[in-house]
Amino acid sequence: MKRLSQRRQGNVLVLTAFLIVVLLAMVAFAVDIGFVLLTRTQLQRAADAAALAAAWEMIDDESLSGNGETNVLSSEIRTKAEEYAASNRVLRQQSQLALQDVSMGYVADPFSSNWHMQESGGAGPYNAVTVHVRRHADQNGELPLFFARVFGHDSVAAEASATAVVLSSIRGFAAPSDGSNLGILPFALDEETWLDMLAGGGDDAWTWSAADEAVVAGSDGIREINLYPQGTGSPGNRGTIDIGSNNNSTADIARQILEGASPADLEQHGGKLELDEQGELLLNGDTGISAGVKDELETIKGQPRIIPIFRTVEGPGNNAMYTIIGFAGVRIVDVKLTGKMSMKRVTIQPANVVARGAIPGDGLGQPSHFIYSPVWLLR
């Protein structure tokens, strides 16, 4: 009887020891799994940051002067991705990106849950960047394990990827979801003048100094044209356009110059300004740019703004009707609204504009120039 009791006690001890070993193995496994999950979170953070930073590089200032080069831009995108991947450390170590870890391409429908990026090989056009951050044996080293070494597993590979996109073909604007105003000026420019400027026409007498945050005299390679109506023979005597009420006062125009079009203004157009299926948007207009808004125009000088581009204008005076066929990003660099008609001017040059509420284009050609959506992650 005594021997049986001792045998049972021995079995209990063996079982207890076995359970302790199993429990310790489970704890060890949980520790290693937690460590791997934490590291993968750090990898994802690095990939997200690198993709977002790289995608912002697609808003290319060199394109404003017509000197943007796809291969140079591709190099800048890759360099920015490498910089942010390295600065967002994983296990306190910088991550190095291989050549294949950064790819550029085009996402036709970034709002689809089944979006797909068609890689361009860096040749363009592209609107998206994918970045992979890896911890492999031959790149940055695998993740070290601790307790799993007991079972012969010293390390494990891990990686994360992220894709960021920015829209550059914009067919219109909805009221921004955050309730902010849309930075669009109530002045339209004719398509012929705009295209002539893109082809090298116009002057080059002003420069936007980012360091001084001011417009200064001097050449910067970016062409300039006059936004002020100079009598094209149109019976509409083109000038301002009505964003909001068809009877915008000088006070309304001054407000929109300083603050942009409000959600209430856009509500007058069904909540958005958008080209239709024919690539057109009809807007009522007025007879000219009033000298009463000179101070407001001076105030925003140098600040990026959106202007509509029109193809035709018909009708006299306040009954003028503009056919808008696109939008452009610009900044005002000079204002003179006194004196003879031939001396009046509101001089503008192309400028990159990031606009909330942008509506993407859908194959109608290029409905916008120098206008971009904010960058966002698709992953």
Side-chain angles (χ1 to χ4, degrees), residues 139-160:
Q139 185 178 342
N140 300 311
E142 291 188 334
L143 307 181
L145 298 176
F146 303 100
F147 300 101
R149 296 183 179 185
V150 175
F151 303 100
H153 299 288
D154 294 337
S155 61
V156 63
E159 63 181 69

Side-chain angles (χ1 to χ4, degrees), residues 84-343:
Y84 273 73
S87 62
N88 285 268
R89 294 172 179 257
V90 178
L91 299 181
R92 300 182 180 181
Q93 298 177 5
Q94 294 184 344
S95 297
Q96 305 299 318
L97 302 183
L99 182 63
Q100 67 271 17
D101 289 336
V102 182
S103 56
M104 288 143 276
Y106 186 78
V107 177
D109 186 4
F111 299 102
S112 170
S113 59
N114 296 319
W115 62 269
H116 171 72
M117 188 182 86
Q118 182 177 353
E119 293 191 23
S120 66
Y126 39 76
N127 65 355
V129 181
T130 295
V131 177
H132 299 274
V133 181
R134 311 176 195 270
R135 291 295 300 264
H136 289 182
D138 58 350
Q139 185 178 342
N140 300 311
E142 291 188 334
L143 307 181
L145 298 176
F146 303 100
F147 300 101
R149 296 183 179 185
V150 175
F151 303 100
H153 299 288
D154 294 337
S155 61
V156 63
E159 63 181 69
S161 65
T163 299
V165 66
V166 57
L167 300 178
S168 60
S169 176
I170 309 299
R171 61 178 286 107
F173 308 91
S177 59
D178 61 359
S180 60
N181 291 353
L182 174 66
I184 187 169
L185 292 174
F187 308 125
L189 178 69
D190 64 282
E191 181 185 28
E192 183 179 354
T193 300
W194 178 254
L195 292 179
D196 179 68
M197 184 276 301
L198 291 179
D203 302 316
D204 184 12
W206 299 97
T207 297
W208 165 250
S209 172
D212 299 327
E213 295 187 350
V215 175
V216 297
S219 172
D220 60 0
I222 303 175
R223 311 305 293 180
E224 299 138 6
I225 49 178
N226 189 2
L227 180 62
Y228 193 85
Q230 293 295 323
T232 61
S234 165
N237 186 25
R238 67 179 176 87
T240 63
I241 56 169
D242 292 325
I243 300 177
S245 169
N246 285 346
N247 296 303
N248 275 357
S249 65
T250 299
D252 291 324
I253 294 170
R255 170 181 59 82
Q256 291 178 350
I257 292 171
L258 292 175
E259 303 173 6
S262 68
D265 292 328
L266 295 180
E267 192 60 37
Q268 297 287 327
H269 305 276
K272 58 186 178 181
L273 296 173
E274 183 181 10
L275 306 181
D276 62 19
E277 293 180 355
Q278 286 70 47
E280 298 178 348
L281 169 67
L282 298 180
L283 291 177
N284 187 256
D286 294 313
T287 55
I289 301 177
S290 168
V293 297
K294 178 180 182 298
D295 290 343
E296 286 77 12
L297 291 170
E298 287 281 1
T299 297
I300 69 164
K301 196 158 65 173
Q303 299 176 16
R305 288 291 192 275
I306 300 164
I307 60 169
I309 304 296
F310 75 90
R311 180 163 292 160
T312 60
V313 55
E314 299 178 353
N318 291 338
N319 292 319
M321 187 64 67
Y322 291 79
T323 301
I324 307 301
I325 50 85
F327 304 90
V330 302
R331 63 166 49 96
I332 294 172
V333 293
D334 187 35
V335 178
K336 188 180 188 303
L337 295 180
T338 57
K340 297 179 180 180
M341 180 69 172
S342 60
M343 299 298 292

